[in-house]
Amino acid sequence: MALRPIDNALPTTPERPKKQPKITVATQKQQENQVPLPASGDATIDYVSSDNLKPMSDPEVKIQSLIEDLDSKNWTKVCESLNDARRFALYHSSLMFPILGKVVLVVVKTMRNPRSALCKTSIMAASDIFNAFGDKLLDPSTSDAFDGMLLQLLLKASQDKRFVCEEADRALGSMVGSMTPLPLLRKLRLCVSHTNLRVRAKAAVSLSNCVSKMGLKEMEEFGLAELIEVAADLLNDRLPEARDAARSIATSMYEALTKDVNEKMELWQNFCQSKLPPIHALSILKIVKP
């Protein structure tokens, strides 16, 4: 068979060039949407213990910008300012007291920040503020701010990040150690009814620590009936931490009530049975053994 002349062959259609992806444009847009990462030096935060904080050389000047610095958009600057607030609390508390309420509000705001370094540093600041000001935080000018700080500490102590949780526990311990038990007990009383069972348990622990510092007169001023009812309610709580706190409250009350009495168990039994429903009274009576 005769071969077709090569001149009559169908013309070859050239391949269409493949469309190149717009790498340059995409990369440019991606870079525009990225949040710049902090420099490597800024990414490392040193957690300074209270013992290693030093007084300021110019506290009168620094106090003028403290609130603004604490509310900065630069998180590393906020960490530095939190440490400055701690230094004010420890060494220059008289300068800080006029703006204490505002400082506490900003510290509470920082506690809610998802960045762990900010959260932990703000909790450390709370501890130093408790140790420096104690009952002054319950003054009308700072009471609302204190309520917010207490709730945030209970929430942080209830979360899963261990190093934040442990720091919050220490701050709650500083709070109980630095404040008069009775007014703090009234604040904590509201928190042991929180809907979050972890918050409720942490509040119960602080409440039991408060009760352990009280004498009979202070317990009576708060209300013996209400206090034993709190213990009975917590004894049925789902978390063991709350139940342990309930046992501690009941034991502290027993010791205070029977301190100068010979018939200790008889008095305790009569008290529990007169203040609680039978089933709750029986549960409380099982805690203390003669």
Side-chain angles (χ1 to χ4, degrees), residues 214-226:
M214 297 171 70
L216 180 58
K217 184 177 180 180
E218 290 174 298
M219 292 182 188
E220 288 175 338
E221 193 173 346
F222 176 80
L224 290 173
E226 183 176 359

Side-chain angles (χ1 to χ4, degrees), residues 92-110:
H92 316 285
S93 58
S94 60
L95 286 173
M96 187 173 171
F97 182 68
I99 59 169
L100 181 59
K102 294 180 180 179
V103 171
V104 172
L105 286 174
V106 182
V107 170
V108 170
K109 176 183 174 182
T110 311

Side-chain angles (χ1 to χ4, degrees), residues 69-290:
D69 293 341
L70 285 169
D71 208 21
S72 171
K73 302 299 182 183
N74 184 325
W75 72 272
T76 55
K77 185 174 183 179
V78 175
C79 277
E80 293 172 2
S81 301
L82 285 168
N83 283 329
D84 285 343
R86 298 172 64 199
R87 294 163 73 191
F88 272 111
L90 293 172
Y91 299 108
H92 316 285
S93 58
S94 60
L95 286 173
M96 187 173 171
F97 182 68
I99 59 169
L100 181 59
K102 294 180 180 179
V103 171
V104 172
L105 286 174
V106 182
V107 170
V108 170
K109 176 183 174 182
T110 311
M111 279 187 201
R112 294 195 290 264
N113 193 293
R115 193 181 289 273
S116 297
L118 278 177
C119 184
K120 178 170 179 174
T121 308
S122 64
I123 294 171
M124 295 172 77
S127 292
D128 290 326
I129 288 172
F130 288 140
N131 290 328
F133 295 101
D135 290 343
K136 292 178 181 178
L137 287 160
L138 301 176
D139 290 349
S141 60
T142 53
S143 180
D144 289 344
F146 169 78
D147 291 346
M149 178 174 280
L150 172 58
L151 178 58
Q152 280 304 310
L153 286 173
L154 292 171
L155 288 168
K156 296 307 176 185
S158 308
Q159 69 172 45
D160 295 327
K161 288 182 181 177
R162 183 175 175 181
F163 77 105
V164 172
C165 176
E166 290 175 348
E167 198 63 53
D169 280 335
R170 281 191 285 271
L172 290 169
S174 297
M175 175 189 71
V176 173
S178 63
M179 291 184 165
T180 304
L182 183 57
L184 181 57
L185 185 63
R186 293 189 175 116
K187 297 279 188 181
L188 290 166
R189 172 66 184 92
L190 301 174
C191 299
V192 293
S193 302
H194 200 279
T195 54
N196 184 316
L197 74 167
R198 289 188 177 185
V199 170
R200 195 163 61 239
K202 293 296 182 180
V205 171
S206 292
L207 189 145
S208 69
N209 290 335
C210 264
V211 174
S212 68
K213 294 173 59 181
M214 297 171 70
L216 180 58
K217 184 177 180 180
E218 290 174 298
M219 292 182 188
E220 288 175 338
E221 193 173 346
F222 176 80
L224 290 173
E226 183 176 359
L227 198 54
I228 198 65
E229 287 169 4
V230 170
D233 289 341
L234 291 171
L235 199 58
N236 295 311
D237 203 275
R238 289 169 56 188
L239 290 184
E241 202 172 10
R243 297 196 295 271
D244 288 344
R247 296 185 187 96
S248 175
I249 294 167
T251 301
S252 295
M253 292 187 69
Y254 167 81
E255 291 173 351
L257 278 165
T258 63
K259 184 177 180 182
D260 300 315
V261 178
N262 291 327
E263 300 296 330
K264 297 181 183 295
M265 286 308 299
E266 183 179 351
L267 173 64
W268 180 240
Q269 183 174 346
N270 291 337
F271 170 75
C272 292
Q273 290 175 344
S274 66
K275 304 300 181 185
L276 297 170
I279 190 169
H280 288 171
L282 183 61
S283 298
I284 291 291
L285 288 170
K286 288 179 180 178
I287 295 172
V288 181
K289 302 293 183 181

